[in-house]
């Protein structure tokens, strides 16, 4: 703990901030009122864990006063209650609600409370289903899907339905920002893109309790990322074994397939989970481009390059695997270990880019063709471990560590030729490169959670290290003669160390709730381009405060405020200075001198009737890193470079709700009206500003088509208006998907079909236009598809019927 204090006392300003928080925490710990406590059991006299306990005033609108939940032994306690008459309500899935009137004028211990079972029978199968619930919490939105109709989906489909989350292709964004942190039970997921999608598609939805969208993350989370998407898994309170097998066939432009199996075992002390997924597929993409070069004298068009790129990616052996084990030494001590990984060792790409070059009068001048072949095997693996000690019901500490090893190797051969119309190529250029990357990630952290009266505390420390080595070999020939390429081969070393500490506190005062935290991170990094003898060092310490307030006027009205400061560090690949050629006239490169972006998030929230959520937000990013495309007039080359742009501004109003129109029809909808403004330095070093008013809207409807509720259908639609991103202007896109699913074999099996992007609305045009720069690309990522899927579950599927607000054995999957 002394290291935390040392970190947070760094500098006089930091001292004052810390002293203020400590004073606030001290003041909130005084003046205790009476308490009410009790224990909750079922009709078999077994304790009912994690039931919701709500204390309301006996007035017309039954205003919330306090909320709590039962622990693993069915016990609850609500502290600091003003004397008076109240309604006490206890509820949980599978039981009738319990409500009683109580009078509190001193500490009150209630007699044992017994909940009655609630269920309806259908072909000897117990069904307890509800619509998904959106809850406003002081620092997040919680999308509770436990035992809902969508819990039969996989995790990826549930994430796509989550309010506040935008999913296009393999990408996940929140409020237009893709710089988000994805966690499972608050543990960081070291996967992105297709790998993350594969993991979530093979995670059973009925193992998920809720999805949390945290637009202003509290101090306990890493400061990296503009928002957090946390997937909370259920706590399996029963013992036994359960498993599942699943498979899917996908037909887009070319076929793909995946099979997977998951297994779970639990007894009194030991919990073991294991899963494996195998996938194989042929992926397609196309991009039609137009680049215009102008005459400097009069800005008239000098030449136009029109390309029609077609890409074929094949990954015939994709393997994902994970295994975790958790052992309860006793009721107070638990250890856990885990291992997971992904490999795709047979991954290849073939990219053909025919290009027609026209003069200023629109006449065909010459032709340029490029064939790019790549082999890019890759794999990564992660080992995790943790230890949890519970001092008592109010205090616990968790120690955790993980180590990740990433391997990537890309061999590339490019053959390109230039010819006059109707003639054989008069110039041929061959480019060969070998890109070898090895990245190691290590982290260790300690987290403390405590409670003193009505005030909750949290504090912790974290150390993280990134060590990367990248060797890039480049060679080129023109008409068989080796071409000079100084500085294009290189050896790049990168080392990053982050030491962090945080404190936080949360307290309720009647209808008001407050939460505040402070995180400090000291970052030291070095990027070394060995061959060209260029070293970049950065050493900085930054504080990241967060603050929240929530006012519960009544059951029907809640108002919240929040502020948080975050940091977005560049991706490791964006720091790499090597040139990755797509054609001899097109390459991308990074910048080892990239600076981290600082983000400030402000939000005003309002919730109506616990159903309709409104969020007025403002986000300011200083020095964000972004891809910028510019034309090099001396070589007629298109360069895509990662660079720091001056700032991004985003503001808007977001609305979301989940409603049930009829017993057979549920729907969720989300809309965001916003404004974006980006400022960047152009290729001519002039400052450029692009802005755009935006609209994003999505709708999901779920239908039950028969009385047995075993034939289901879904309708999904989204529309995204034109937007800006860095120096790019993005056209509008939309998508329509339909699915049908049949449940059978006593709800243990399901099969269905999914039609995605039915009219190819996800095709998008990306434009760069300022000064003498003009490029436009119309991209399509093979999103239109037809999917057939099947899943069969066996064993004791009721293992997942418990509820939890704590980390579970599923946590160690990552």
């Amino acid at each position: 703990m002394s290291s935390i204090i040392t970190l947070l006392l760094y500098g006089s300003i930091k001292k004052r901030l810390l002293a203020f928080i400590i004073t606030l925490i001290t003041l909130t710990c005084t003046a205790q009122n009476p308490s009410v406590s009790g224990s909750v059991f079922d009709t078999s006299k077994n304790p009912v864990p994690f039931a919701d306990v709500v204390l309301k005033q006996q007035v017309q609108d039954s205003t919330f006063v306090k909320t709590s939940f039962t622990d693993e032994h069915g016990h609850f306690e609500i502290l600091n209650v003003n004397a008076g008459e109240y309604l006490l309500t206890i509820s949980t899935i599978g039981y009738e609600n319990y409500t009683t009137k109580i009078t509190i004028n001193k500490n009150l211990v209630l007699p044992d409370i017994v909940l009655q079972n609630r269920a309806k029978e259908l072909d000897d199968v117990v069904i307890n289903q509800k619509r998904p619930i959106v809850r406003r919490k002081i620092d997040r939105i919680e999308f509770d899907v436990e035992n809902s109709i969508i819990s039969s989906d996989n995790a990826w489909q549930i994430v796509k339905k989550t309010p506040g989350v935008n999913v296009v292709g393999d990408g996940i964004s929140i409020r237009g920002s893709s710089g988000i942190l994805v966690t499972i039970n608050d543990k960081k997921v070291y996967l992105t893109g297709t790998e993350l999608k594969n993991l979530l598609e093979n995670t059973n939805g009925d193992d998920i309790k809720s999805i949390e969208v945290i637009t202003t993350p509290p101090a306990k989370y890493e400061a990296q990322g503009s928002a957090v998407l946390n997937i909370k898994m259920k706590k399996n309170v029963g013992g036994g074994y359960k498993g599942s097998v699943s498979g899917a066939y996908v037909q887009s432009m070319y076929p793909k397939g995946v099979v997977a199996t998951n297994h779970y075992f639990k007894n009194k002390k030991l919990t073991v989970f294991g899963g494996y997924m195998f996938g194989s597929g042929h992926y397609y993409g196309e991009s039609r481009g137009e680049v215009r070069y102008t005459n400097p004298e009069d800005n008239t068009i000098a030449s136009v390059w029109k390309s029609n790129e077609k890409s074929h990616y094949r990954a015939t052996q994709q393997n994902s695997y994970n295994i975790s084990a958790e052992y309860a030494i006793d009721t107070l001590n638990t250890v856990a270990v885990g291992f997971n990984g992904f490999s795709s060792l047979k991954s290849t790409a073939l990219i053909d880019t025919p290009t027609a070059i026209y003069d200023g009068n629109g006449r065909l001048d010459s032709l340029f063709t490029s064939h790019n072949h790549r082999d890019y095997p890759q794999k990564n693996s992660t080992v995790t471990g943790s230890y949890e000690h519970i001092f008592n019901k109010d205090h616990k500490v968790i120690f955790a560590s993980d180590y990740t090893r990433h391997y990537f190797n890309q061999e590339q051969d490019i053959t390109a030729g230039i010819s006059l119309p109707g003639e054989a190529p008069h110039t041929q250029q061959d480019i060969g490169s070998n890109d070898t990357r090895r990245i190691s990630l290590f982290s260790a952290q300690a987290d403390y959670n405590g409670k003193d009266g009505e005030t909750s505390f949290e504090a912790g420390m974290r150390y993280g290290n990134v060590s990367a080595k990248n060797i890039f070999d480049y060679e080129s020939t023109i008409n068989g003669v080796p071409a000079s390429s100084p500085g294009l081969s290189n050896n790049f070393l990168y080392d990053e160390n982050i030491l962090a500490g945080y404190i936080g506190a949360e307290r309720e005062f009647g209808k008001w709730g407050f939460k505040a935290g402070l995180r400090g991170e000291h970052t030291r990094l070095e990027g070394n381009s060995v061959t060209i003898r260029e070293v970049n060092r950065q050493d900085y310490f930054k504080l990241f405060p967060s603050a929240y307030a929530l006012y519960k006027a009544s059951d029907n009205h809640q108002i919240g405020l929040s502020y948080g400061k975050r940091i977005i560090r560049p991706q490791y690949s964006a720091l790499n200075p090597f040139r990755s050629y797509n054609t001899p006239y097109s390459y991308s490169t990074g910048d080892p001198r990239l600076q981290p972006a600082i983000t400030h998030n402000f939000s005003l929230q309002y919730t109506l009737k616990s159903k309709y959520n409104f969020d007025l937000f403002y986000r300011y990013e200083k020095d964000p890193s972004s891809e910028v495309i510019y034309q090099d007039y001396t070589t007629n080359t298109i360069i895509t470079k990662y660079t720091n742009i001056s700032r991004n501004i985003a503001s808007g109003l977001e609305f979301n709700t989940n409603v049930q129109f009829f017993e057979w029809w549920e729907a969720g909808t989300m809309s965001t009206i916003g404004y974006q403004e980006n400022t960047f330095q152009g290729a001519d070093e002039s400052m450029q500003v692009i802005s755009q008013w935006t609209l994003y809207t999505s709708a999901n409807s779920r239908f039950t088509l028969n009385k047995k509720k075993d034939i289901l259908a879904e309708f999904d639609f989204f529309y995204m208006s034109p937007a800006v991103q860095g120096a790019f202007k993005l056209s509008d896109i939309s998508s329509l998907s339909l699915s049908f699913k049949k449940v059978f074999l006593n709800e243990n099996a399901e099969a269905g079909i999914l039609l995605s992007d039915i009219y190819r609305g996800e095709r998008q045009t990306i434009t760069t236009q300022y000064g003498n720069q003009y490029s436009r690309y119309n991209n399509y990522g093979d999103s239109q598809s037809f999917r057939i899927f099947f899943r069969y579950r066996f064993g004791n599927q009721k293992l997942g019927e418990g509820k939890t607000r704590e980390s579970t054995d599923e946590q160690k999957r990552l």
Side-chain angles (χ1 to χ4, degrees):
M1 189 61 68
S2 61
S3 298
I4 301 177
I5 296 174
T6 300
L7 182 63
L8 295 177
L9 292 178
Y10 186 83
S12 60
I13 295 177
K14 289 81 176 180
K15 292 181 181 179
R16 295 189 188 102
L17 287 171
L18 184 58
F20 171 77
I21 292 176
I22 294 174
T23 302
L24 175 64
I25 292 171
T26 303
L27 289 174
T28 60
C29 294
T30 62
Q32 299 298 310
N33 288 317
S35 65
V36 58
S37 61
S39 297
V40 182
F41 299 89
D42 61 19
T43 53
S44 300
K45 297 184 179 181
N46 296 315
V48 178
F50 313 116
D52 293 307
V53 182
V54 178
L55 196 64
K56 301 180 180 181
Q57 291 178 335
Q58 286 200 55
V59 293
Q60 186 174 358
D61 64 353
S62 297
T63 304
F64 280 107
V65 176
K66 299 285 184 180
T67 61
S68 184
F69 57 93
T70 58
D71 61 20
E72 294 183 350
H73 306 290
H75 180 76
F76 70 90
E77 184 177 17
I78 301 177
L79 302 174
N80 198 21
V81 182
N82 294 327
E85 295 184 345
Y86 296 90
L87 290 176
L88 178 72
T89 300
I90 299 174
S91 61
T92 190
I93 297 299
Y95 297 93
E96 298 287 349
N97 291 350
Y98 174 89
T99 301
T100 186
K101 297 180 180 180
I102 60 175
T103 300
I104 301 176
N105 48 41
K106 60 180 181 179
N107 290 343
L108 177 62
V109 179
L110 298 174
D112 290 346
I113 297 170
V114 179
L115 300 185
Q116 301 298 317
N117 294 326
R118 178 183 62 195
K120 62 179 181 179
E121 299 292 330
L122 177 61
D123 296 336
D124 297 326
V125 179
V126 178
I127 298 177
N128 289 299
Q129 282 195 338
K130 60 179 177 68
R131 68 177 176 86
I133 298 172
V134 180
R135 292 191 181 94
R136 168 76 67 188
K137 294 188 174 182
I138 192 169
D139 60 353
R140 68 196 66 193
I141 285 286
E142 182 183 57
F143 188 47
D144 186 350
V145 300
E146 184 177 22
N147 295 327
S148 71
I149 189 173
I150 69 172
S151 63
S152 60
D153 294 337
N154 61 52
W156 179 257
Q157 292 170 325
I158 293 174
V159 166
K160 293 176 67 175
K161 299 178 178 70
T162 301
V165 178
N166 306 335
V167 177
V168 178
D170 295 341
I172 300 176
S173 64
I174 296 175
R175 290 181 179 169
S177 175
S178 57
I180 64 173
L181 175 66
V182 178
T183 62
I184 294 181
N185 285 333
D186 293 326
K187 294 290 290 183
K188 183 177 180 179
V189 177
Y190 291 100
L191 300 174
T192 59
T194 301
E195 298 174 18
L196 177 62
K197 181 181 178 182
N198 287 339
L199 170 70
L200 297 182
E201 281 187 335
N202 292 287
T203 300
N204 294 332
D206 49 17
D207 289 332
I208 296 175
K209 182 191 182 300
S210 62
I211 309 290
E212 295 179 331
V213 181
I214 312 173
T215 55
T216 306
K220 69 173 290 185
Y221 291 97
E222 293 180 45
Q224 166 70 20
S226 61
V228 172
L229 181 69
N230 183 41
I231 302 172
K232 294 183 71 174
M233 310 300 291
K234 290 181 182 178
K235 179 74 172 183
N236 295 311
V237 297
Y241 164 79
K242 69 174 182 178
S244 68
V245 293
S246 61
Y249 172 82
V250 180
Q251 180 66 53
S252 52
M253 185 70 73
Y254 298 95
K256 310 169 188 65
V258 61
V259 292
T261 182
N262 292 308
H263 301 271
Y264 177 89
F265 171 79
K266 179 181 175 67
N267 62 20
K268 187 176 180 179
K269 288 184 173 291
L270 179 65
T271 301
V272 179
F273 174 86
Y276 173 75
M277 183 278 295
F278 175 83
S280 179
H282 182 167
Y283 306 85
Y284 173 77
E286 61 184 38
S287 177
R288 297 180 180 179
E290 180 178 323
V291 180
R292 300 174 187 173
Y293 293 91
T294 58
N295 294 304
E297 298 83 7
D298 54 8
N299 207 34
T300 58
I301 294 178
S303 65
V304 178
W305 295 46
K306 294 184 178 181
S307 60
N308 185 14
E309 180 180 284
K310 295 185 178 180
S311 306
H312 297 264
Y313 298 90
R314 293 176 175 84
T316 58
Q317 290 188 10
Q318 302 174 65
N319 299 273
S320 294
Y321 43 89
N322 59 86
I323 185 170
S324 63
E326 182 180 283
Y327 181 74
I329 301 172
D330 51 39
T331 58
L332 301 179
N333 298 277
T334 304
V335 294
V337 294
F339 175 76
N340 66 81
F342 171 82
S343 68
S344 181
L345 300 181
K346 290 190 176 182
S347 299
T348 61
L350 181 61
I351 305 171
D352 289 324
T353 312
T355 303
I357 304 173
Y358 299 86
D359 63 19
N361 296 316
R363 294 187 297 266
L364 182 62
D365 180 76
S366 56
L367 299 172
F368 167 70
T369 59
S370 174
H371 303 282
N372 184 329
H373 179 267
R374 301 174 184 172
D375 290 311
Y376 57 101
Q378 57 186 308
K379 62 182 178 180
N380 60 60
S381 57
T382 300
V383 179
T384 65
S386 68
Y387 167 72
E388 177 181 302
H389 175 70
I390 300 174
F391 297 99
N392 53 46
K393 64 183 181 65
D394 292 329
H395 302 273
K396 71 174 181 179
V397 64
I398 301 175
F399 300 94
S401 182
D402 59 67
Y403 176 78
T404 298
R405 181 71 173 169
H406 176 74
Y407 164 94
F408 177 86
N409 186 71
Q410 178 174 275
E411 294 183 1
Q412 179 174 251
D413 293 298
I414 301 174
T415 300
I418 300 177
S419 63
L420 297 175
E423 297 184 8
H426 59 75
T427 302
Q428 178 172 314
Q429 183 173 1
D430 296 290
I431 296 175
S433 64
N434 188 3
D435 184 357
T436 302
R437 306 177 194 176
R438 303 291 185 269
I439 302 176
S440 298
L441 311 173
F442 171 78
S443 72
Q445 65 185 68
D447 299 280
Y448 164 78
N449 295 90
K451 191 172 184 180
D452 184 0
E454 284 290 283
T455 304
S456 298
F457 303 92
E458 58 184 12
M461 288 193 68
R462 182 182 186 274
Y463 169 75
N465 171 262
V466 178
S467 179
K469 182 178 182 180
N470 194 175
I471 300 174
F472 189 83
D473 295 320
Y474 176 93
E475 61 181 13
S476 174
T477 63
I478 298 178
N479 293 331
V481 179
S484 175
S485 53
L488 294 185
S489 294
N490 201 354
N491 183 1
F492 180 67
L493 304 177
Y494 180 80
D495 189 74
E496 176 184 279
N497 294 277
I498 300 175
L499 178 64
Y502 72 90
I503 58 173
E506 183 176 357
R507 174 71 185 259
E508 290 188 0
F509 297 90
K511 297 180 180 181
W512 283 94
F514 297 95
K515 183 173 182 176
L518 183 65
R519 185 180 185 93
E521 292 194 351
H522 177 254
T523 302
R524 180 177 295 170
L525 64 86
E526 179 180 287
N528 183 5
S529 296
V530 178
T531 306
I532 60 177
R533 298 181 180 179
E534 180 178 330
V535 179
N536 173 63
R537 294 185 178 92
Q538 297 180 30
D539 192 331
Y540 56 87
F541 175 81
K542 295 185 181 298
L543 288 173
F544 302 94
S546 58
Y548 316 83
L550 182 65
Y551 177 66
K552 301 177 183 178
S554 68
D555 288 358
N556 293 331
H557 303 280
Q558 298 181 39
I559 302 173
L561 285 167
S562 67
Y563 163 75
K565 179 183 175 183
R566 306 284 291 168
I567 189 171
I568 303 178
R569 297 181 177 90
Q571 295 181 344
Y572 308 127
S573 58
L575 298 167
N576 196 322
F578 305 157
R579 294 181 181 182
S580 178
Y581 279 86
N582 192 42
T583 76
Y585 292 94
S586 174
Y587 69 84
S588 60
T589 185
D591 184 353
R593 293 161 298 196
L594 284 177
Q595 299 294 310
I598 298 297
T599 302
H600 299 272
N601 294 308
F602 301 86
S603 187
L604 171 63
Q605 310 103 18
Y606 171 65
T607 299
L608 174 65
K609 296 182 178 180
S610 300
K611 184 186 300 184
Y612 306 101
N613 296 286
F614 300 85
D615 198 336
L616 186 66
F617 65 89
Y618 174 82
R619 182 178 71 245
Y620 177 84
E621 295 182 4
K622 180 174 175 55
D623 298 326
S625 59
S626 176
E627 280 188 331
V628 175
I629 292 179
Y630 66 91
Q631 299 153 234
D632 184 345
Y633 270 66
T634 59
T635 60
N636 288 336
T637 301
I638 294 294
I639 301 172
T640 302
K641 184 175 182 178
Y642 284 97
T643 186
N644 285 114
I645 65 176
S646 177
R647 65 178 180 267
N648 283 346
I649 295 174
S651 60
L653 176 64
E654 182 179 284
F655 166 77
N656 66 72
T657 187
N658 257 277
V659 295
Q660 183 172 16
F661 298 113
F662 304 99
E663 185 179 355
W664 51 273
W665 180 12
E666 297 178 0
T669 185
M670 180 183 73
S671 294
T672 303
I673 299 175
Y675 175 78
Q676 297 176 331
E677 181 181 291
N678 296 341
T679 303
F680 63 95
Q681 187 177 53
D684 57 358
E685 297 187 355
S686 65
M687 296 304 295
Q688 304 288 329
V689 178
I690 58 174
S691 61
Q692 180 72 53
W693 283 93
T694 62
L695 169 66
Y696 177 88
T697 185
S698 65
N700 168 258
S701 286
R702 305 173 289 274
F703 304 95
T704 304
L705 302 182
N706 63 341
K707 291 184 178 180
K708 293 181 66 175
K709 299 184 178 181
D710 59 3
I711 301 179
L712 308 172
E714 282 196 30
F715 164 97
D716 286 284
F717 173 80
F718 81 82
Y719 170 78
M720 184 184 299
S721 71
V724 295
Q725 179 179 320
F728 302 131
K729 296 180 179 179
L730 313 178
S731 69
D732 62 336
I733 59 173
S734 62
S735 183
L736 173 66
S737 299
L738 295 173
S739 69
F740 299 90
K741 180 167 62 178
K742 167 67 175 176
V743 180
F744 52 99
L745 295 181
N746 291 332
E747 290 198 325
N748 288 321
E750 60 184 54
I753 59 173
L754 171 64
L755 307 174
S756 299
D757 193 16
I758 293 174
Y759 56 84
R760 288 196 177 188
E762 293 188 32
R763 182 185 292 273
Q764 187 171 50
T765 299
I766 302 175
T767 305
T768 299
Q769 185 175 10
Y770 64 90
N772 66 350
Q773 303 287 305
Y774 181 90
S775 62
R776 183 182 65 191
Y777 296 91
N778 184 267
N779 301 327
Y780 172 67
D782 201 20
S783 53
Q784 185 184 65
S785 66
F786 173 83
R787 180 186 180 103
I788 303 174
F789 59 90
F790 171 80
R791 182 173 65 171
Y792 178 71
R793 294 171 289 191
F794 46 87
N796 180 14
Q797 293 300 316
K798 295 183 180 181
L799 280 173
E801 292 181 353
K803 294 176 63 179
T804 185
R805 285 171 171 78
E806 303 295 337
S807 298
T808 71
D809 42 83
E810 299 285 348
Q811 177 183 12
K812 307 310 175 298
R813 296 175 61 187
L814 294 159

